[in-house]
């Protein structure tokens, strides 16, 4: 598998990083000026690309 950092788009990585800091989808959306639905879609895409099912799995994968 490619390095997790290179698999994600810049936006997916940005959203996952903010989410990892404990921000909710609404808080991430407000910070980035996008909808919370868009945040959730980016997270789903990131999880799929990283072959994980949740935020914790994605964070762990990024730290590898």
């Amino acid at each position: 598998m490619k390095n997790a950092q290179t698999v994600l788009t810049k936006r997916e990585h940005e959203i996952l990083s903010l989410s990892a800091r404990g921000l909710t989808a609404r808080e991430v959306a407000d910070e980035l000026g996008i909808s919370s639905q868009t945040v959730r879609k980016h997270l789903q895409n990131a999880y799929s690309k990283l072959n994980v099912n949740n935020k914790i799995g994605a964070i762990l994968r990024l730290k590898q």
Side-chain angles (χ1 to χ4, degrees):
M1 177 180 189
K2 291 183 182 179
N3 180 315
Q5 302 262 347
T6 61
V7 171
L8 300 179
T9 65
K10 180 180 176 184
R11 186 60 119 186
E12 290 165 348
H13 191 271
E14 181 179 29
I15 289 172
L16 188 54
S17 294
L18 290 170
S19 185
R21 289 185 7 215
L23 275 66
T24 65
R26 170 80 331 211
E27 292 167 332
V28 172
D30 289 345
E31 183 158 326
L32 299 177
I34 59 178
S35 74
S36 57
Q37 183 60 35
T38 300
V39 169
R40 285 190 280 279
K41 185 62 177 170
H42 279 299
L43 287 172
Q44 288 174 346
N45 291 341
Y47 298 164
S48 178
K49 289 179 181 181
L50 296 172
N51 198 29
V52 297
N53 296 320
N54 55 47
K55 180 174 28 178
I56 293 171
I59 293 165
L60 291 174
R61 184 66 52 90
L62 284 177
K63 292 188 180 279
Q64 291 181 345

